[in-house]
Amino acid sequence: MDRLQAMQVFRAVIDAGSFAGGARRLGVSNAMVSKQVSRLEEMLGVRLLVRTTRRLQLTAEGERYLTTVVRLLDELQELEAGIGEQRGEIRGRLRLSAPVDFGARSLMPALQAFEAAHPAVSLDLVLEDRRVDPLAEDFDLVVRIGELEDSSLIARPLMQIPMHLYASPGYLQRHGTPRHPQELRDHRCLHYTLSRHGLYWPFRVDGEIYRFRLQPALSCNNGRALIEAAVLGMGLTLKPASLAAPEERAGQLVRVLEAFEMPPLDIHLLYAERDYMPARLRALIEALLGYFGDGQPYD
């Protein structure tokens, strides 16, 4: 048995949360993955995983082994990348996390440009809207939207996205156009449940930011779905300009309450402080900052 390969398979299974997910990540069959893990357990003489029909659970021995495997594989990758860097090459693997809509629509073109410049770097991009822990979940770089918590992580401003209130022309024809945020109580509002503002929408009124409480007609944890709902005339939705841009250009959505400015959405790059930053991570950070304008507004 190739012990290094078995360690890589074991880590992939845990990262993916299943044998099938690990197999997809590695581009091999489920049977090969299952066999590698079983042989690894036989060689070590311990059970690493408890297999159920619903999920995998690490045993105590599996947790200890995983900690060592992650460290060894990362050190090996750093060694190989470091040797390449001495020859002027940038190579290796980077694991990134980003919100779903921003990652799919705005981040992907930037990553395409980076990969064209650095084809020896492998990117593992995880898109989800929850707030991940870069240290605990082994992410090299995290794109974080919204307010930052106090932490030991380094935060680099990436960009600001203007926020606007949108509705379809059909909705406004049926329900009228609000002229002041206070009138939102009489309208159907589409609420993003993961919003940093909770059940409030912020507007600048007479130079001050006021938060107006919503009575949502529809709540959803996906911004793209709320855009579609607004296009269908189901109500008004507060969204980043970049997310609603295609529908706005097509005339399917229009901006509402433009006289009342809303705070922009701050986006940062987060990463752990380390004694040695791999050249590939440094290159990606600088590429993203350059692509998005180093914290400048982005519409």
Side-chain angles (χ1 to χ4, degrees):
M1 179 183 67
D2 184 330
R3 185 175 301 185
L4 176 59
Q5 184 183 52
M7 293 166 65
Q8 292 170 331
V9 168
F10 178 65
R11 180 178 182 175
V13 167
I14 300 304
D15 286 346
S18 68
F19 282 90
R24 286 192 298 270
R25 180 169 296 191
L26 296 172
V28 299
S29 68
N30 292 2
M32 182 271 191
V33 166
S34 180
K35 183 182 294 185
Q36 285 278 12
V37 173
S38 295
R39 287 180 176 177
L40 187 60
E41 290 178 323
E42 291 175 7
M43 183 194 70
L44 296 172
V46 296
R47 177 69 64 86
L48 299 174
L49 294 168
V50 176
R51 302 160 176 81
T52 69
T53 56
R54 291 184 176 272
R55 64 189 178 95
L56 297 176
Q57 182 175 345
L58 284 166
T59 63
E61 293 82 3
E63 290 181 355
R64 289 197 298 271
Y65 187 70
L66 178 64
T67 300
T68 302
V69 162
V70 169
R71 177 177 56 80
L72 291 175
L73 291 178
D74 286 349
E75 288 179 356
L76 178 60
Q77 185 182 64
E78 293 300 327
L79 174 61
E80 293 174 344
I83 292 173
E85 289 170 11
Q86 291 176 0
R87 301 196 303 267
E89 300 175 353
I90 295 181
R91 62 173 58 248
R93 172 180 173 269
L94 288 172
R95 182 166 155 83
L96 295 77
S97 169
V100 175
D101 294 323
F102 178 81
R105 177 159 297 196
S106 301
L107 184 62
M108 203 58 70
L111 296 183
Q112 187 276 331
F114 174 79
E115 287 205 318
H118 304 289
V121 177
S122 171
L123 298 177
D124 180 2
L125 175 63
V126 178
L127 298 181
E128 51 188 342
D129 289 329
R130 69 181 181 87
R131 294 203 162 198
V132 304
D133 184 336
L135 297 176
E137 300 179 58
D138 192 30
F139 284 106
D140 298 294
L141 188 65
V142 169
V143 178
R144 177 63 48 81
I145 294 182
E147 298 175 359
L148 300 177
E149 309 93 343
D150 292 333
S151 75
S152 61
L153 298 172
I154 297 174
R156 299 281 299 272
L158 180 65
M159 59 190 291
Q160 288 185 322
I161 301 181
M163 298 289 290
H164 300 294
L165 190 63
Y166 295 94
S168 71
Y171 173 87
L172 297 178
Q173 185 176 12
R174 292 193 305 274
H175 298 276
T177 301
R179 304 299 178 186
H180 190 280
Q182 289 180 340
E183 297 178 20
L184 292 175
R185 65 169 67 98
D186 300 321
H187 281 267
R188 300 183 65 81
C189 297
L190 310 178
H191 170 54
Y192 180 54
T193 55
L194 301 180
S195 169
R196 57 180 171 148
H197 300 296
L199 282 172
Y200 292 86
W201 281 348
F203 294 89
R204 189 178 298 276
V205 180
D206 297 329
E208 298 289 336
I209 297 294
Y210 291 88
R211 304 196 322 150
F212 294 84
R213 184 173 175 83
L214 308 178
Q215 296 293 333
L218 172 67
S219 297
C220 181
N221 67 348
N222 183 270
R224 187 70 242 160
L226 291 174
I227 290 286
E228 295 300 324
V231 168
L232 293 172
M234 296 176 66
L236 301 103
T237 188
L238 178 63
K239 281 288 161 279
S242 57
L243 184 61
E247 288 76 15
E248 186 177 9
R249 286 194 296 267
Q252 296 174 300
L253 292 178
V254 296
R255 297 180 185 181
V256 181
L257 295 178
E258 288 191 88
F260 300 90
E261 181 184 357
M262 303 174 196
L265 202 57
D266 292 317
I267 303 183
H268 291 81
L269 297 178
L270 302 183
Y271 53 94
E273 187 173 6
R274 57 179 79 188
D275 295 331
Y276 166 75
M277 177 182 287
R280 61 185 180 278
L281 178 56
R282 183 167 56 252
L284 178 59
I285 291 171
E286 295 307 320
L288 294 179
L289 292 176
Y291 185 91
F292 290 108
D294 209 356
Q296 298 302 309
Y298 177 77
D299 200 337

